[in-house]
Amino acid sequence: MYKAFLLKYGEIGVKGKNRHLFEDALVRDIERVLRRVEGDFKVSKESGRIFAVAGSDFDYDEAIGALSKVFGLVWICPVVQIEDKGFKDLSANVIEYIDKAYPDKNFTFKVDARRARKDYELNSMQINEELGHDLLERFPEMKVDVHDPDVLISVEVRNMINIYSKAIRGPGGMPTGTAGSAMLLLSGGIDSPVAGYMIAKRGVKISAVYFHAPPYTSERAKQKVVDLARIVSSYCGEIELNIIDFTEIQLEIYKQCPHDEMTIIMRRVMMRIAQELADESGCMGLITGESIGQVASQTMHGLYCTNAVCKMPVYRPLIAFDKQDIVSMAEKIGTYETSIQPFEDCCTIFVAKHPVTKPRLNVIEKHEKALEKVLDDMVAKAIENVEKVICDG
Ligand code: ATP
Ligand code: MG
């Protein structure tokens, strides 16, 4: 029945001279997801609205599924589009639409007409009245309720006339890249993919870095991270994943530093490397999945010590989330099943039995001095040998 979608976006950030940038980015994102759906869609903008019109048959659920992943969309409305052949024809089409869309006619309704061009033969009020009248005549079971209707029947008179009454919620947020870019520290865990999703939803283009420690962490663990990046990219578009071989650095820390400080020191080196990669690729910040108190290294003291090496903003969208809430989000966005696959990530292998929960920065810095001579070279080498994988789900 539907050949087109009317796509509505929110008002935030779309005012003024940036509006067209926002809209163009949104159109690109919509085109990107629809390219994977059969249907040969044409996407266009028309005064505050975006339309995706199918050029051939398509799978309705698949198209809705794809559009539901586009950040910036607030409502996805399947529409019936007709040419203007006079009001009689419009009325007949609305009646046919209602008949097909609602087999059971026991509901209240209101017609909400809008004229985007003033040369239409009736004005909005007249369209409302005439259509209401025609519908009641044809379907006496239906009743009008102008205050709280079960079904709001919208008719928008534009180049084409659009008839719709159903709306599926989009994810909201901002189109990809409209807010700049950031480097996500992506492990194989539950948290960091959710953190990446949340920041990406605000219009941030994501790059990612994974610290891999072969042979202590397996190829499967690495593949899991690639898979996670791919799932996140199915929302926000292509993610360049930087895979850093961290083994040498980790072994050196293990050799030179107190084991109960291992995680914090490792995390500090990760942040350093992530920042260099971020700088190289024009990212304006880092993103982690850290959450206060979740593990020993994420106490306020731990976060303080980790953060002390960071020169750029670190975005921690999960900082105040309980684990269960993070799990629910991971399930919703589809990363959970992949995250819980049982492949060790590098931290779990070198983790001490009793890590410090209240590390002191001056103590950590003192112990890091043991690494001083070799660390710069090791970091430079790790960055030089980075493996880059383009993830595009
Ligand atoms: P996650 O579920 O995201 O792995 P976590 O609860 O396991 O989080 P930690 O392992 O303490 O927490 O890691 C805290 C954050 O540090 C992660 O959310 C992630 O952003 C980053 N991180 C940890 N390990 C790695 C890694 N091997 N590669 C990239 N980033 C990592
Ligand atoms: Mg982890």
Side-chain angles (χ1 to χ4, degrees), residues 90-152:
L90 167 60
S91 177
N93 273 286
V94 171
I95 284 172
E96 188 190 334
Y97 166 77
I98 292 295
D99 203 17
K100 277 194 200 152
Y102 303 93
D104 175 7
K105 306 290 185 301
N106 271 305
F107 58 83
T108 60
F109 76 102
K110 172 186 172 180
V111 180
D112 180 26
R114 236 179 260 191
R115 271 192 322 173
R117 56 185 173 83
K118 299 298 167 202
D119 60 353
Y120 191 70
E121 60 189 284
L122 304 180
N123 67 29
S124 306
M125 282 294 283
Q126 290 167 326
I127 300 175
N128 288 341
E129 279 164 22
E130 295 292 324
L131 280 180
H133 171 269
D134 292 358
L135 281 163
L136 287 173
E137 195 173 71
R138 175 68 181 78
F139 306 118
E141 314 94 289
M142 284 169 60
K143 290 194 176 52
V144 173
D145 181 345
V146 290
H147 300 294
D148 186 22
D150 299 326
V151 177
L152 183 68

Side-chain angles (χ1 to χ4, degrees), residues 184-193 209-212 263 267 270 287-290 294-295 297-298 323 345-347:
L184 168 67
L185 284 86
L186 182 63
S187 69
I190 295 169
D191 306 327
S192 43
V209 52
Y210 167 57
F211 297 92
H212 184 43
T263 310
R267 194 76 80 236
M270 284 183 184
I287 307 164
T288 75
E290 289 162 311
Q294 200 190 78
V295 287
S297 58
Q298 295 174 34
K323 191 73 187 189
D345 72 20
C346 62
C347 307

Side-chain angles (χ1 to χ4, degrees), residues 6-9 73-77 167-170:
L6 189 171
L7 305 165
K8 298 181 180 177
Y9 50 83
L73 289 185
V74 175
W75 292 109
I76 300 157
C77 307
I168 297 110
R169 259 215 180 284

Side-chain angles (χ1 to χ4, degrees), residues 82-90 120-121 161:
I82 58 167
E83 280 172 41
D84 178 7
K85 293 183 191 158
F87 181 76
K88 262 211 161 70
D89 180 70
L90 167 60
Y120 191 70
E121 60 189 284
I161 300 178

Side-chain angles (χ1 to χ4, degrees), residues 35 81 138 146 160 167 185 222 251 319 333:
R35 226 172 280 140
Q81 287 195 321
R138 175 68 181 78
V146 290
M160 300 285 280
L185 284 86
K222 175 167 132 185
L251 288 173
I319 198 69
I333 68 172

Side-chain angles (χ1 to χ4, degrees), residues 181-187 205-213 221-222 225-226 229-230 238-246 270 273-283 285-286 382-391:
S181 51
M183 180 68 63
L184 168 67
L185 284 86
L186 182 63
S187 69
K205 177 157 177 48
I206 303 288
S207 297
V209 52
Y210 167 57
F211 297 92
H212 184 43
K222 175 167 132 185
V225 176
V226 172
R230 208 167 271 150
E238 199 175 284
I239 293 178
E240 184 182 73
L241 173 64
N242 296 273
I243 300 170
I244 293 283
D245 187 329
F246 205 51
M270 284 183 184
I273 294 176
Q275 273 185 123
E276 288 200 29
L277 293 168
D279 267 335
E280 259 173 34
S281 53
C283 292
L286 304 179
I383 292 175
E384 207 180 284
N385 294 331
V386 63
E387 178 191 349
K388 289 183 185 275
V389 180
I390 300 295
C391 302

